[in-house]
Amino acid sequence: MLNFKDRKPASAGNRSFFPTRYFVIFVSAVLLFFGWYASRLVVAIVPEGNTGVITFATHPGDEWNISFTHSVEKTEWDEFFRVNGPDDLTMTHTQFESLGWGYPYSPSDGKLTKTADGKFNLEMNRPYKEVALRISEQAMQHIVHGGDDYNLIPLYGQGTAVKIKVMYRYQYWLNIVFNFS
């Protein structure tokens, strides 16, 4: 048996395309959430060829670092970066264990101080759009963000060039779909 009680007379006007206003509210909420999520920042580790890109979520003011072994001195070295926005990073400072070959020596390099644990800290505040590096088994570069450690040698292999950059999540998605950098 058909239920005609919910139908309005034709003189009442057109019926809504959507069966209920809750559906419109739901779709609007989903679209707003998707727009918000797509506009969040990510740090992307992009190897040459754009295959195997790794990202991690970030926000302005967030910090991460590249940790590696100095090629001559064989001591630990850390370079710290602050996220300012898309295509906008600042190398805030670098820490190393000894003064030696290839280490900063000029006052123009930054303010050099010694930490309580005996390391050297060089305050730099240098702007970057992206950070480019070539992975080396000798240097054993890895990126540290929060509790996560991205060891680049097992991820990409010896000699691979990578770019590390900040972008909106939707830019990353477009990069995957259309393969532009």
Side-chain angles (χ1 to χ4, degrees), residues 87-153:
D87 297 325
D88 189 4
L89 293 165
T90 301
M91 181 193 286
T92 57
H93 64 286
T94 184
Q95 279 188 346
F96 43 92
E97 294 180 358
S98 68
L99 295 174
W101 185 266
Y103 284 70
Y105 62 91
S106 170
S108 65
D109 289 329
K111 181 182 174 189
L112 184 65
T113 57
K114 196 165 184 177
T115 63
D117 62 356
K119 291 184 179 182
F120 294 94
N121 188 56
L122 182 66
E123 186 178 317
M124 303 177 85
N125 294 314
R126 292 185 181 164
Y128 287 86
K129 285 188 174 191
E130 64 185 26
V131 178
L133 59 99
R134 187 159 302 273
I135 299 170
S136 161
E137 288 179 2
Q138 187 177 20
M140 293 300 295
Q141 301 102 325
H142 53 106
I143 295 174
V144 179
H145 177 255
D148 298 325
D149 189 334
Y150 304 92
N151 191 341
L152 300 180
I153 284 289

Side-chain angles (χ1 to χ4, degrees), residues 34-110:
F34 181 76
W36 171 83
Y37 185 73
S39 66
R40 302 295 89 200
L41 291 174
V42 294
V43 172
I45 306 167
V46 184
E48 55 193 352
N50 290 343
T51 57
V53 177
I54 293 175
T55 63
F56 55 86
T58 190
H59 54 81
D62 197 12
E63 292 190 358
W64 56 273
N65 69 294
I66 301 173
S67 184
F68 59 95
T69 302
H70 190 275
S71 61
V72 175
E73 296 292 319
K74 305 295 186 221
T75 58
E76 186 178 325
W77 188 296
D78 291 294
E79 294 178 340
F80 295 85
F81 294 87
R82 180 182 59 237
V83 173
N84 301 317
D87 297 325
D88 189 4
L89 293 165
T90 301
M91 181 193 286
T92 57
H93 64 286
T94 184
Q95 279 188 346
F96 43 92
E97 294 180 358
S98 68
L99 295 174
W101 185 266
Y103 284 70
Y105 62 91
S106 170
S108 65
D109 289 329

Side-chain angles (χ1 to χ4, degrees), residues 5 8 16 19 54 60 90 107 131 160 169 176:
K5 292 181 183 178
K8 296 180 182 175
S16 171
I54 293 175
T90 301
V131 178
T160 305
R169 194 176 306 269
I176 290 172

